[in-house]
Amino acid sequence: ELYTGADVETKSAFEIEGKKKLIKSVKQAIKPKPNSKILGVRFKLWLYFWGDKPKKEKGFRNWVKNKLGEPPVLLSQVNPAATSEIINAKIFNQGFFKSNVSFEVIENEKKKEAKINYILLLDQPFVIKSISFDKLQDTAIKRLVLENTKKSLINVGSTYDLDLLRKERVRLDDILKNHGYFYFSPDYFYFKIDTSSKENNLDIYLAIKEDAPQRALKKFGIGRVLVEIDSSVYDD
């Protein structure tokens, strides 16, 4: 059967903020992609079959099939169970910790086609209740972080988003780099997440990994400045 693509459906007892964005990100994770369409027609697939079994190995039909055509994407190439796990991990990383993903295969026996319908059973997402920097033991780094919290990508009241936490580490690393922490890296930061609250709230603690090298915590300044002049260009 020809695989014609996937639909994403959400079910929730609550109003989901940013549902369109969530569905879009989920669709990007679904693989494989079905055969492409041009004005509703799978033209590349048609070219593939038109060039099927060419008389010559290097003839025109062979060129059309392999260069312009597109082999069929079959239902047998799709693993909806594995894809459901990937989707579940993706929505988990966007704060939906208590959600599940199921799927159903919808077949059209007459056309010998099939598609997959993924169903997202969503609970309320977890929201950031507090952000603490008390676990930052290095006072100089802690001061720099606190001075730049206004431009933070994570804020109290926002939905948990793992991607934003990663970007926030990079942002903080840039700040440290610009203040002399030459050997620091975003990977030396980590966020501890506390979800012990009975409600869908969580507390975030920013810290530096214990195994971060000492030179990463050292602030560097400019030492000697050497100026080299090319005498072949400047005679005087």
Side-chain angles (χ1 to χ4, degrees):
E1 290 177 300
L2 183 70
Y3 172 64
T4 58
D7 291 327
V8 178
E9 177 185 354
T10 61
K11 291 184 178 181
S12 176
F14 308 93
E15 184 68 27
I16 302 300
E17 185 178 346
K19 185 168 70 173
K20 289 184 178 179
K21 180 183 177 181
L22 177 67
I23 292 176
K24 183 179 179 181
S25 67
V26 166
K27 286 184 175 180
Q28 291 173 346
I30 297 174
K31 295 181 180 180
K33 302 299 181 185
N35 291 104
S36 58
K37 285 185 177 182
I38 300 176
L39 299 176
V41 178
R42 302 185 194 280
F43 186 64
K44 290 187 177 182
L45 180 62
W46 179 84
L47 288 175
Y48 181 86
F49 284 114
W50 180 84
D52 195 25
K53 296 180 180 180
K55 295 180 181 179
K56 298 180 181 180
E57 291 185 3
K58 296 183 180 181
F60 177 71
R61 293 175 74 94
N62 185 290
W63 180 81
V64 169
K65 175 182 178 179
N66 295 299
K67 296 296 182 180
L68 302 180
E70 190 177 74
V73 180
L74 304 176
L75 180 63
S76 59
Q77 298 172 249
V78 184
N79 189 339
T83 301
S84 295
E85 292 182 7
I86 293 172
I87 293 173
N88 201 32
K90 196 169 188 67
I91 63 177
F92 181 92
N93 290 340
Q94 295 184 53
F96 295 92
F97 297 163
K98 299 178 182 179
S99 301
N100 291 290
V101 179
S102 61
F103 68 89
E104 58 181 351
V105 180
I106 303 172
E107 298 180 272
N108 187 328
E109 295 181 0
K110 186 177 180 181
K111 293 184 177 182
K112 295 183 178 180
E113 296 178 347
K115 68 177 182 178
I116 310 294
N117 186 35
Y118 293 98
I119 303 155
L120 280 55
L121 305 174
L122 302 176
D123 198 349
Q124 283 185 317
F126 274 68
V127 174
I128 299 172
K129 180 182 178 182
S130 68
I131 304 172
S132 175
F133 305 98
D134 293 339
K135 293 186 180 296
L136 287 172
Q137 295 181 348
D138 189 294
T139 55
I141 291 179
K142 182 178 180 179
R143 185 178 66 253
L144 282 173
V145 171
L146 291 174
E147 287 174 353
N148 291 275
T149 53
K150 288 184 178 181
K151 294 184 178 180
S152 176
L153 301 177
I154 54 174
N155 299 285
V156 173
S158 299
T159 302
Y160 171 87
D161 190 324
L162 179 60
D163 187 50
L164 284 182
L165 292 183
R166 289 169 174 164
K167 290 180 179 178
E168 177 66 3
R169 291 196 312 174
V170 173
R171 187 188 75 87
L172 293 175
D173 176 67
D174 287 341
I175 292 170
L176 294 186
K177 287 286 200 307
N178 288 331
H179 284 80
Y181 292 89
F182 186 78
Y183 289 105
F184 204 86
S185 166
D187 293 334
Y188 298 149
F189 278 125
Y190 78 94
F191 289 98
K192 181 180 178 182
I193 311 298
D194 183 0
T195 59
S196 58
S197 173
K198 292 182 179 179
E199 299 179 358
N200 283 28
N201 293 324
L202 52 85
D203 300 306
I204 292 180
Y205 301 87
L206 177 66
I208 296 174
K209 293 179 180 178
E210 293 182 359
D211 59 353
Q214 283 300 310
R215 69 174 185 174
L217 308 179
K218 182 180 179 182
K219 187 174 182 179
F220 286 79
I222 297 175
R224 290 187 303 159
V225 179
L226 304 179
V227 179
E228 295 185 4
I229 300 176
D230 188 343
S231 60
S232 64
V233 178
Y234 301 99
D235 293 332
D236 296 331

